[in-house]
Amino acid sequence: MTDTRHLSGIYAGIPATDGAGVQLTRMVGTPDLDMVDPFLMLDRIDSDDPDSYIAGFPNHPHRGFETVTIMLEGLMRHQDSVGNNGLLKPGDVQWMTAGRGIIHSELPEMVDGRLRGFQLWVNLPAEKKMMPPGYQDIPADRIGSAAFDGGSARVIAGSYLGIDGPAQPQISIRLLDVRLDPRATWTINPDDGSDLFICVYEGSLVGTAADGNRHEIEAPGTVLFHGQGGVSVIAGDPGAEILYCEGQPINEPVAKYGPFVMNTREELQQAVDDFNAGKLATG
Ligand code: CO
């Protein structure tokens, strides 16, 4: 009986444009890697060219899931239709529960410099898709860091090495921002039955497939693992910075249309109708 999850796939991500022309790399939510239940999408932004990000994401709606914004560098202003307003600074995280509906904007509050970070979409089960919207602004100093031999992990959600993440997701999620020294080994024991992926966003990471072969993943890359049990990876020569995303799969049908994620086509049509009728602005 083996207790190890093996590397089962590596995905480089694809260039994409979203919002008012923001250039990003879609790591999850691509034709090759549609979703990792309960994670619907992961977008990575990393640019020091203002033309590629300055227009940001003007007002747009969401319904049916949660958006998680993880800022690494730069400044981003959030405003939404239920009155929330916040400035995301380096290291900050924003956890927004769209629920039955919200309209928000995410605009860079900078004219030059490097903008670097992620947006992760976490699905909601049917019973929570129409809940009232929620918003958690989590400053960097509320995110505890767990030190271990060869690195450290910022615990954003869930718990790790005795540190509880400050985010309060609607479903069971563990989200870690991990930094590994060159050639350091990192091992974690995911919860039974959980799905997970690792996004390597700086440096490189080495994982082992079921046949024993080692594969090196250069940033940016997403790694999937097969089976149950622990995960063990090794940082490459430059070290590694990785986003570890683990959650219990929802196992429900997914119907997606742009910023709406529901269970059926009919619910998607209702979302569009409600948006056109102005019903998503009021929460
Ligand atoms: Co949005």
Side-chain angles (χ1 to χ4, degrees):
M1 195 61 194
T2 166
D3 280 313
T4 303
R5 298 190 193 215
H6 293 287
L7 181 152
S8 61
I10 300 170
Y11 302 86
I14 59 170
T17 303
D18 214 332
V22 179
Q23 290 169 29
L24 46 83
T25 307
R26 185 146 294 162
M27 306 303 300
V28 175
T30 65
D32 286 345
L33 184 56
D34 179 45
M35 67 179 289
V36 181
D37 194 1
F39 303 104
L40 297 159
M41 193 189 82
L42 179 69
D43 280 346
R44 170 182 180 269
I45 297 179
D46 183 2
S47 176
D48 56 12
D49 172 12
D51 288 343
S52 75
Y53 63 69
I54 202 75
F57 305 88
N59 270 339
H60 60 277
H62 290 294
R63 172 179 278 181
F65 60 103
E66 300 188 279
T67 68
V68 182
T69 305
I70 300 158
M71 286 298 291
L72 299 172
E73 288 182 64
L75 297 171
M76 187 86 94
R77 171 73 63 180
H78 166 99
Q79 277 185 290
D80 67 40
S81 55
V82 295
N84 298 303
N85 186 333
L87 180 64
L88 283 150
K89 300 178 292 302
D92 294 353
V93 170
Q94 183 213 79
W95 201 290
M96 189 185 81
T97 307
R100 66 184 174 225
I102 198 164
I103 293 175
H104 74 159
S105 62
E106 300 148 298
L107 300 172
E109 198 152 289
M110 53 200 283
V111 293
D112 55 21
R114 191 175 178 192
L115 183 67
R116 193 162 70 103
F118 295 98
Q119 186 161 91
L120 176 69
W121 287 12
V122 183
N123 204 3
L124 287 172
E127 67 198 31
K128 292 192 170 181
K129 283 189 177 294
M130 294 298 278
M131 66 181 290
Y135 173 83
Q136 303 167 59
D137 220 342
I138 305 168
D141 61 11
R142 281 188 55 211
I143 301 172
S145 188
F148 51 84
D149 195 20
S152 61
R154 295 199 312 138
V155 184
I156 298 168
S159 57
Y160 180 61
L161 297 180
I163 293 186
D164 292 326
Q168 300 197 320
Q170 291 298 322
I171 60 171
S172 177
I173 295 291
R174 176 152 55 180
L175 182 55
L176 308 175
D177 181 19
V178 184
R179 185 195 54 75
L180 298 173
D181 294 338
R183 294 172 295 284
T185 297
W186 183 58
T187 302
I188 186 166
N189 289 309
D191 289 340
D192 286 346
S194 62
D195 278 353
L196 64 91
F197 68 87
I198 289 174
C199 177
V200 186
Y201 67 86
E202 299 288 346
S204 70
L205 195 70
V206 178
T208 306
D211 61 8
N213 284 334
R214 289 185 165 195
H215 299 269
E216 183 161 10
I217 305 98
E218 308 256 349
T222 301
V223 196
L224 293 191
F225 296 85
H226 171 80
Q228 293 295 315
V231 168
S232 189
V233 290
I234 305 168
D237 288 342
E241 288 176 65
I242 63 180
L243 199 64
Y244 173 88
C245 303
E246 177 195 336
Q248 291 293 331
I250 294 173
N251 290 322
E252 290 179 1
V254 174
K256 286 187 284 191
Y257 179 70
F260 308 126
V261 183
M262 304 301 289
N263 296 109
T264 68
R265 303 295 310 173
E266 291 71 24
E267 290 166 349
L268 279 183
Q269 185 59 52
Q270 188 66 52
V272 172
D273 291 348
D274 287 351
F275 173 57
N276 288 334
K279 292 181 183 170
L280 266 64
T282 51

